């Protein structure tokens, strides 16, 4: 995330400077998208499964009040301490107060996009708490003083040689060694020491079951379990929309999650935390941070169905070619572009425009969120509220005026073709952003209207 | 109003009209002609090793032949004589030195190659995550087709902690190169018995 006010177009320009890296980024993510397809095709009822998941989430959003109360009641009966946080600030304060109560200043944390959204690491750093992210990709970006660029693959923008260099600097690995197996083992040794010595572990939550008061955390690395089972205190952080009604519904979501995310049939670990063990305390923090507002926006409510698989990232032609950091928000990609404006419409006014509206995101979404439709609708809202990018608004006004007057339209077409033919530098110059990474096609001899008049018999 | 009340009241105002839950019975979930073979095939593709045995002594022979550091084997299975029985009162941090952990699993899932186990099978929750190599004993007949059948089987079981484990711990965070043994076990071997 950039601390400046740079928007998606400027930030993409930075990413686009290295064309070879853009191609590599694009191809890597497309390969993951293809793995997702292969995994989905092994399940004949895949579409029915998506429909079912979407319908379960419809029910959840329409009955969230009662499900949260049911979850609170059952989790409390299981011995879990339930906290409620209205926003990111309160979430961070609750966690800090638990650390203070336990006199702990060093913790481990497994992947939780919610804590990224709330800026927990920065908050705790200011309060002299040492947080170690234990997901390998997250640890890499943390050592580099960056944020994840992807919610499932946090360092997808990093090359192995750069990671080798980073580990040489921070973990004393031999200079020039960029072997993934070797580097992963170095991180394993480095992080085992943290797991064994830290007394408090934070994890995210993938699903929380109202009926039983249990919550499920999914990882491939096993870092959530290593942290949680070795700590005296386990703090789990979840957005209020992560509730599902009954245990049996986990079957639907666990079938969809990993297949959509990476093309795996299931994550290596799907851990069901129901009761703390005898020597342990478990806290869960339920966070709103704008979710109740989004729940009230009928056009955008469906975005709360998201299970954070990132299939929409991997398929998005804009994300693949502009990189996660160009979205300047914790959750990038198409889903991030419909979640972020709810939090701050002015700051994230650029994001719904960072899309071709091709609809590929909606086609792969395991819970059938109409992502591209919501991107389109956010554009309307943002423009009405006066937050749309100025150059775009101006261009749109000129275009609307031209299209509404046939005489002007014909003249503009003719003039355009003449300019492109004889004075291309007038449009093909550095002042016109359309020409970045694009070439102009040859101008046709005549317009369709001219051709039609001539050929109409 | 505290945050809890604020959140709940905002939800009450903003949540849409009640939508019915879909019936999962309508889902025509995938079934396999030979679910055991499907389970074996999937588990192998995700990095697991599968061995069919006729008696549990074969497990002891296999692990002693395959892994080093014999002193640091531990099991929760009483029938495995000659392997240290796990003392469930141990501090889980001590398990850091465990080379091989041998545990039972309650059932396997054909569609994704995972096995289900609860506190009863692990005794100490950290065990299947902290050991260097995980060995699981599974009854061949226990394999179900898919996750819906899996949760039907789990039903209202009152486990305190339960986990689906599908192969060794893994990561592909460095340039999408798959590496087995991220933080947890570097290998997972499933012994199928009758």
């Amino acid at each position: 995330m950039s601390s400046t006010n740079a928007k998606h177009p400027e930030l993409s320009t930075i990413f686009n400077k290295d064309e070879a890296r853009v191609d590599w980024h694009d191809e890597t993510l497309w390969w993951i998208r293809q793995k997702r397809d292969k995994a989905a095709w092994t399940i004949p009822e895949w579409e029915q499964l998506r429909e079912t998941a979407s319908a379960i989430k419809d029910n959840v959003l329409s009955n969230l009040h009662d499900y949260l109360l049911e979850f609170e009641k059952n989790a409390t009966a299981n011995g879990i301490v339930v906290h409620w946080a209205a926003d990111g600030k309160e979430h961070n304060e609750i966690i800090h107060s638990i650390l203070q109560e336990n006199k702990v200043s060093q913790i481990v944390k497994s992947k939780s996009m919610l804590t990224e959204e709330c800026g927990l690491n920065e908050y705790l750093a200011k309060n002299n708490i040492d947080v170690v992210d234990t997901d390998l990709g997250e640890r890499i970006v943390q050592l580099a003083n960056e944020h994840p660029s992807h919610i499932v693959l946090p360092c997808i923008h990093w090359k192995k040689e750069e990671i080798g260099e980073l580990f040489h600097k921070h973990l004393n690995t031999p200079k020039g060694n960029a072997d993934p197996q070797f580097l992963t083992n170095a991180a394993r040794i480095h992080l085992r020491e943290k797991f064994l010595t830290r007394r408090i572990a934070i994890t995210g939550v993938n699903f929380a079951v109202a009926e039983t008061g249990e919550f499920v955390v999914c990882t491939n690395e096993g870092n959530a379990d290593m942290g949680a089972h070795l700590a005296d205190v386990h703090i789990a952080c979840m957005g209020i929309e992560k509730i599902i009604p009954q245990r049996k519904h986990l079957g639907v979501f666990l079938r969809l999650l990993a297949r959509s995310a990476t093309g795996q049939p299931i994550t290596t670990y799907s851990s069901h935390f129901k009761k703390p063990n005898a020597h342990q305390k478990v806290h869960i923090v339920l966070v709103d941070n704008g979710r109740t507002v989004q729940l009230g926006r009928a056009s955008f409510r469906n975005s709360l169905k998201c299970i954070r698989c990132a299939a929409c990232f991997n398929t998005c032609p804009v994300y693949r070619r502009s990189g996660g950091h160009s979205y300047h928000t914790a959750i990038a990609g198409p889903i991030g572009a419909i979640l972020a404006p709810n939090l701050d419409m002015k700051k994230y006014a650029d994001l719904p425009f960072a899309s071709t509206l091709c609809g590929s995101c909606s086609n792969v979404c395991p819970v059938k969120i109409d992502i591209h439709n919501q991107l389109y609708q956010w554009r309307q809202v943002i423009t009405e509220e006066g937050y749309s990018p100025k150059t775009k608004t101006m261009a749109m006004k000129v275009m609307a005026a031209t299209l509404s007057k046939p005489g002007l339209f014909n003249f503009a077409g003719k003039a355009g073709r003449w300019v492109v033919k004889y004075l291309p530098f007038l449009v093909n110059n550095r002042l016109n952003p359309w020409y970045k990474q694009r070439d102009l096609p040859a101008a046709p001899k005549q317009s369709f209207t001219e051709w039609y008049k001539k050929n109409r018999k | 109003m505290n945050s809890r009340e604020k959140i709940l009241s905002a939800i009450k105002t903003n949540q849409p009209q009640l939508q019915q839950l879909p019936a999962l019975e309508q889902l025509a979930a995938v079934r396999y002609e030979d679910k055991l073979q499907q389970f074996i095939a999937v588990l192998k593709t995700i990095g697991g090793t599968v061995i069919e045995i006729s008696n549990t002594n074969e497990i002891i022979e296999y692990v002693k032949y395959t892994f080093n550091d014999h002193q640091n084997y531990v099991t929760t299975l009483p029938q495995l004589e000659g392997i240290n029985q796990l003392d469930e009162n141990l501090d889980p941090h001590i398990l850091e030195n465990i080379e091989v952990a041998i545990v039972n699993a309650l059932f396997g899932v054909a569609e994704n190659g995972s096995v289900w186990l609860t506190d009863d099978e692990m005794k100490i929750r950290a065990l299947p995550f902290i050991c260097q190599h995980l060995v699981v004993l599974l009854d061949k007949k226990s394999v179900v087709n898919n996750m819906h059948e899996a949760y039907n089987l789990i039903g209202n079981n009152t486990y305190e902690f339960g986990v689906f484990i599908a192969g060794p711990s893994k990561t592909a965070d460095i340039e999408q190169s798959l590496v087995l043994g991220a933080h947890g076990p570097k290998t997972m071997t499933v012994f199928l018995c009758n």
Side-chain angles (χ1 to χ4, degrees), chain A residues 15-171:
Chain A
F15 187 75
N16 275 289
K17 273 183 191 149
D18 184 348
E19 207 171 314
R21 182 183 291 256
V22 176
D23 290 346
W24 165 77
H25 190 262
D26 176 18
E27 282 159 20
T28 307
L29 287 157
W30 186 249
W31 178 65
I32 299 164
R33 155 72 211 261
Q34 288 173 315
K35 288 203 294 183
R36 172 260 171 217
D37 290 346
K38 281 186 197 135
W41 295 335
T42 64
I43 305 298
E45 71 277 18
W46 183 256
E47 289 307 313
Q48 203 191 355
L49 201 58
R50 289 175 72 214
E51 292 282 354
T52 307
S54 190
I56 295 169
K57 287 283 185 177
D58 275 328
N59 168 265
V60 168
L61 295 179
S62 72
N63 196 36
L64 191 56
H65 178 271
D66 291 0
Y67 284 144
L68 281 167
L69 286 179
E70 189 185 351
F71 176 77
E72 181 189 42
K73 191 184 94 199
N74 290 324
T76 307
N78 292 339
I80 296 173
V81 184
V82 181
H83 305 261
W84 299 73
D87 52 24
K89 182 171 170 283
E90 193 176 5
H91 160 266
N92 297 344
E93 287 165 358
I94 289 169
I95 289 171
H96 189 217
S97 73
I98 298 171
L99 302 186
Q100 283 179 319
E101 269 166 38
N102 288 280
K103 300 186 175 59
V104 162
S105 60
Q106 296 183 312
I107 62 168
V108 284
K109 179 161 83 68
S110 72
K111 199 152 65 192
S112 151
M113 293 324 297
L114 177 68
T115 62
E116 286 287 333
E117 176 189 320
C118 297
L120 178 68
N121 282 15
E122 289 80 358
Y123 176 87
L124 292 180
K126 270 184 208 145
N127 287 283
N128 300 316
I129 307 285
D130 179 37
V131 182
V132 172
D133 280 320
T134 56
D135 173 83
L136 176 59
E138 277 209 319
R139 186 62 181 149
I140 290 166
V141 292
Q142 188 183 33
L143 288 174
N145 208 13
E146 274 189 7
H147 286 275
S149 67
H150 186 290
I151 58 174
V152 173
L153 319 159
C155 67
I156 191 71
H157 60 296
W158 276 70
K159 295 257 193 183
K160 61 185 178 193
E161 291 77 15
E162 296 160 346
I163 297 167
E165 195 53 39
L166 185 78
F167 278 20
H168 170 63
K169 197 173 140 198
H170 293 276
L171 308 183

Side-chain angles (χ1 to χ4, degrees), chain A residues 361-372:
Chain A
C361 45
S362 306
N363 288 335
V364 295
C365 178
V367 287
K368 301 199 81 163
I369 303 170
D370 54 336
I371 304 174
H372 72 298

Side-chain angles (χ1 to χ4, degrees), chain A residues 59 72 90 137 188 214 272 275, chain B residues 3 125 151 159 162 173 184:
Chain A
N59 168 265
E72 181 189 42
E90 193 176 5
R188 176 185 172 99
E214 72 197 297
H272 299 48
K275 283 187 183 173
Chain B
S3 292
R125 290 182 192 180
Y151 279 103
Y159 61 77
D173 274 343

Side-chain angles (χ1 to χ4, degrees), chain A residues 24 28 31-32 35 42-45 48-49 52 55-56 58-59 61-69 72 84-86 90 134-138 140 152-156 158-161 163 167 180-181 183-185 187-188 191-192 195-197 211 214 220-223 225-226 229-230 240 245-252 254-255 259 264-277 280 286 288 292-293 295-296 301, chain B residues 2-32 38 42 45-46 88-98 111-114 116 119 122 124-134 146-148 151-152 154-186 188:
Chain A
W24 165 77
T28 307
W31 178 65
I32 299 164
K35 288 203 294 183
T42 64
I43 305 298
E45 71 277 18
Q48 203 191 355
L49 201 58
T52 307
I56 295 169
D58 275 328
N59 168 265
L61 295 179
S62 72
N63 196 36
L64 191 56
H65 178 271
D66 291 0
Y67 284 144
L68 281 167
L69 286 179
E72 181 189 42
W84 299 73
E90 193 176 5
T134 56
D135 173 83
L136 176 59
E138 277 209 319
I140 290 166
V152 173
L153 319 159
C155 67
I156 191 71
W158 276 70
K159 295 257 193 183
K160 61 185 178 193
E161 291 77 15
I163 297 167
F167 278 20
Q181 178 101 36
L183 296 176
T184 300
N185 195 51
R188 176 185 172 99
L191 289 165
R192 274 223 161 199
F195 288 127
L196 289 164
T197 53
E211 173 193 44
E214 72 197 297
N220 280 321
E221 298 183 5
N223 55 318
D225 288 281
M226 283 292 278
H229 303 313
L230 292 172
I240 51 173
Q246 295 159 8
R247 188 185 267 170
K248 67 178 180 187
H249 296 126
L250 287 168
V252 174
L254 290 179
R255 296 185 76 196
R259 289 187 174 100
Q264 293 171 261
I266 189 168
T267 49
T268 306
Y269 304 106
S270 308
S271 299
H272 299 48
F273 294 87
K274 188 155 172 264
K275 283 187 183 173
N277 67 33
Q280 205 185 32
L286 304 172
D288 178 351
T292 53
V293 177
L295 186 65
R301 178 180 294 142
Chain B
N2 64 25
S3 292
R4 177 181 180 275
E5 288 159 19
K6 238 189 290 179
I7 294 167
L8 287 169
S9 113
I11 293 171
K12 202 144 209 183
T13 314
N14 290 343
Q15 72 187 14
Q17 196 193 348
L18 186 67
Q19 306 280 309
Q20 287 308 308
L21 258 180
L24 297 192
E25 293 70 34
Q26 292 169 354
L27 254 173
V30 64
R31 298 173 65 85
Y32 303 95
Q38 172 73 18
V42 177
T45 64
I46 56 178
E88 57 188 280
N89 299 313
L90 278 180
D91 174 347
H93 295 84
I94 289 168
L95 303 176
E96 151 70 355
N97 300 318
I98 294 301
E111 71 161 315
N112 56 30
S114 68
W116 170 255
D119 327 62
M122 342 177 189
I124 299 177
R125 290 182 192 180
L127 182 67
F129 306 98
I130 200 169
C131 61
Q132 299 294 319
H133 302 279
L134 179 64
N146 55 56
M147 291 299 280
H148 309 296
Y151 279 103
N152 283 342
I154 293 171
N156 297 323
N157 184 293
T158 53
Y159 61 77
E160 298 187 349
F161 175 76
V163 60
F164 285 102
I165 300 181
S169 104
K170 57 180 80 70
T171 182
D173 274 343
I174 301 177
E175 279 199 19
Q176 288 301 297
S177 300
L178 180 68
V179 178
L180 302 182
H183 298 297
K186 296 172 178 173
M188 178 186 187

